[in-house]
Amino acid sequence: MLGVNRELKKLQESGKYIGVGLVGAGQMGRGMISQIASMQGMKVVATADINLESITSAYKHAGIEASDIVAAENKEEADQAISEGKSVALTDASLMSGLDGVDVVVDATGVPEVGASVAISAIENKKHIVMLNVEADITIGYYLYQLAEENGVIYTGSAGDEPGAIMELYDFADALGFDVVALGKGKNNPLNLAANPDSVKEVAKEKGSSPKMIASFQDGTKTMVEMNAVANATGYVPDIPGMHGFSGGVKDLPEIFKLEADGGKVQNKYIVEYINGVAPGVFIIIASDKEEVNAELKYLSMGPGPNYVLYRPYHLTSLETPLSIAKAYLSGTPTIAPYKGMVAETVTVAKTDLKQGDHLDGIGGYTVYGQVYKYEEAKAQDALPIGLVNSNLVLQRDVKQGEVITYADVKGGESSLIWELRKKQDELLKN
């Protein structure tokens, strides 16, 4: 991200700015609006959310006067308001990508089906798309990435989210020629596979977050999804289904990621993993076969080797998203994208005993959680991707707690957009 500040300043001084269209005025979206309000060369010109009050509140907290906020009902009204320097509020997200003043669209909904719609619309309207929606990315991201390339626009994940933060460390070390042994993140809370919106209600209230979001953190789905995105970007895979979830501090990481045969805890190199004890940071493990490089690393107090850890102790989620917006617009490059195709898959697992005829309810709900597998292993089981789960899906048989749910186990989701795009992605991967 070096030099982005100077490029944005130059853009501002030329009388121009990057017009940002945001879909989703929840916690992530609100923070992003306020952050961009402090920046040069960039402006959130339009925000879409089903709750109009959420948008106006977010704008006001960012310092935007009420007289400069326009609730538009159609493209003409929105375009006129943007041309006058106003900040537009939309309840119809389908209008966003068609607006003349929008250069980059950001999806901050976290809902796979909505993310699919937002991304497709942006790409078809020749707008860059930044996905603060890792759930959609791991499900249909490869198709969207290829479609964006065909249309001459950028499809990217976000800086600040753990996958983007890990990718920055990976790109740094890979460019320098290090042997990058493993990629990982810290988990903020103990794994609780049974977590649901009821069990996390008080925690969610304290944090001002959605109970479903907190449940997806605690049951591990969010961690699985995030490391799935890293796998698809780098080609690294989970060492075992669901990863190990070791515990330890930063100083323990080099030893943990030695092979079991060498006294460590992992079976393979080039893996994705999560660690209890280093949250909210992200890390990569590097090594070198060069004597002088190892000597220099030891001199620099990086440890005795042969593994060394590069650790970033923070990720600022949507507050860093503007950097991905700028990178897409200014240099035409993604922060992170599924460059390697489908390397991993987050499959759907029963959170409790379920009966034939039960409806599934999706990520962070009462019925299922996600577990990351190697893609080929998930495919061999006909496992249902977690990003395809919605409340229209009806179980066709009884399923036991902890059992992987397959495509054959459900009916009812085939008419949704994300299911349609997933089929197109499956065809693309066959070619």
Side-chain angles (χ1 to χ4, degrees):
M1 301 299 182
L2 293 175
V4 169
N5 53 340
R6 287 179 286 277
E7 291 187 63
L8 288 173
K9 183 180 180 182
K10 189 182 298 183
L11 193 65
Q12 178 91 7
E13 290 172 346
S14 72
K16 300 177 182 178
Y17 60 81
I18 303 169
V20 179
L22 170 66
V23 181
Q27 180 183 353
M28 296 293 179
R30 294 195 304 269
M32 195 191 87
I33 290 171
S34 282
Q35 192 66 52
I36 289 177
S38 301
M39 297 174 64
Q40 298 187 78
M42 189 180 299
K43 179 182 178 181
V44 177
V45 297
T47 303
D49 196 280
I50 56 174
N51 187 337
L52 193 63
E53 175 57 31
S54 293
I55 304 173
T56 56
S57 175
Y59 279 150
K60 290 174 183 177
H61 278 93
I64 298 169
E65 297 294 332
S67 58
D68 288 327
I69 301 171
V70 174
E73 295 185 357
N74 54 56
K75 171 176 163 54
E76 291 72 24
E77 289 179 3
D79 282 337
Q80 179 65 29
I82 292 171
S83 70
E84 294 172 356
K86 307 291 186 181
S87 297
V88 171
L90 301 167
T91 54
D92 184 359
S94 68
L95 295 173
M96 183 64 73
S97 295
L99 301 183
D100 298 336
V102 171
D103 301 304
V104 183
V105 176
V106 178
D107 172 46
T109 64
V111 180
E113 179 72 14
V114 177
S117 176
V118 171
I120 283 291
S121 179
I123 293 167
E124 289 178 345
N125 282 278
K126 311 295 185 183
K127 311 287 188 183
H128 304 305
I129 174 71
V130 180
M131 297 292 281
L132 255 173
N133 190 333
V134 191
E135 296 82 359
D137 176 73
I138 64 159
T139 309
I140 55 168
Y142 182 65
Y143 175 77
L144 295 173
Y145 173 61
Q146 296 296 324
L147 188 66
E149 284 205 325
E150 291 174 12
N151 282 272
V153 294
I154 300 304
Y155 170 88
T156 179
S158 176
D161 224 356
E162 282 104 322
I166 292 168
M167 198 69 189
E168 289 173 14
L169 290 176
Y170 172 81
D171 283 351
F172 167 78
D174 186 53
L176 287 171
F178 283 107
D179 182 20
V180 183
V181 174
L183 310 168
K185 59 157 283 184
K187 192 174 185 309
N188 287 305
N189 36 59
L191 184 65
N192 175 14
L193 297 177
N196 62 50
D198 289 340
S199 70
V200 304
K201 186 187 302 181
E202 292 306 314
V203 175
K205 186 177 180 181
E206 290 172 11
K207 292 182 175 292
S209 299
S210 156
K212 291 185 74 173
M213 179 187 292
I214 298 299
S216 75
F217 292 163
Q218 290 193 7
D219 71 17
T221 302
K222 191 68 173 179
T223 292
M224 302 293 155
V225 165
E226 288 165 345
M227 298 316 296
N228 191 156
V230 174
N232 291 347
T234 61
Y236 287 46
V237 296
D239 200 29
I240 61 171
M243 303 179 285
H244 294 282
F246 300 118
S247 295
V250 176
K251 63 180 176 57
D252 302 313
L253 297 178
E255 291 297 313
I256 287 173
F257 287 96
K258 285 182 179 178
L259 298 178
E260 290 176 349
D262 298 324
K265 294 186 176 182
V266 299
Q267 300 169 18
N268 299 283
K269 294 171 65 175
Y270 313 124
I271 61 173
V272 292
E273 187 55 75
Y274 73 95
I275 301 290
N276 297 292
V278 299
V282 298
F283 64 89
I284 68 172
I285 304 298
I286 62 171
S288 175
D289 61 359
K290 301 294 190 296
E291 182 181 344
E292 289 295 338
V293 172
N294 280 285
E296 189 75 4
L297 289 169
K298 290 172 185 175
Y299 171 76
L300 294 169
S301 302
M302 293 294 291
N307 287 344
Y308 309 90
V309 59
L310 300 183
Y311 174 67
R312 177 178 162 175
Y314 64 92
H315 66 281
L316 305 184
T317 59
S318 62
L319 302 184
E320 294 184 55
T321 301
L323 296 177
S324 292
I325 295 169
K327 192 174 180 182
Y329 180 89
L330 296 170
S331 63
T333 53
T335 298
I336 182 172
Y339 307 111
K340 300 294 183 177
M342 290 297 289
V343 174
E345 185 88 271
T346 302
V347 307
T348 305
V349 182
K351 187 174 283 190
T352 186
D353 289 345
L354 301 171
K355 297 291 186 182
Q356 182 178 350
D358 284 349
H359 285 256
L360 303 185
D361 59 358
I363 295 171
Y366 298 88
T367 61
V368 296
Y369 63 87
Q371 191 170 53
V372 67
Y373 278 61
K374 294 176 184 176
Y375 174 70
E376 293 301 332
E377 291 178 352
K379 187 177 179 182
Q381 295 186 46
D382 194 36
L384 178 68
I386 191 72
L388 294 182
V389 176
N390 60 59
S391 59
N392 292 323
L393 295 184
V394 181
L395 278 175
Q396 302 302 295
R397 67 176 180 91
D398 293 351
V399 178
K400 294 292 186 182
Q401 181 181 22
E403 190 175 350
V404 173
I405 296 173
T406 71
Y407 278 100
D409 292 334
V410 297
K411 282 188 178 179
E414 297 83 351
S415 61
S416 74
L417 175 62
I418 198 165
W419 276 68
E420 176 188 332
L421 297 180
R422 176 65 185 219
K423 290 175 183 176
K424 291 183 178 181
Q425 178 174 279
D426 289 342
E427 288 299 316
L428 183 64
L429 289 166
K430 288 179 183 177
N431 300 329

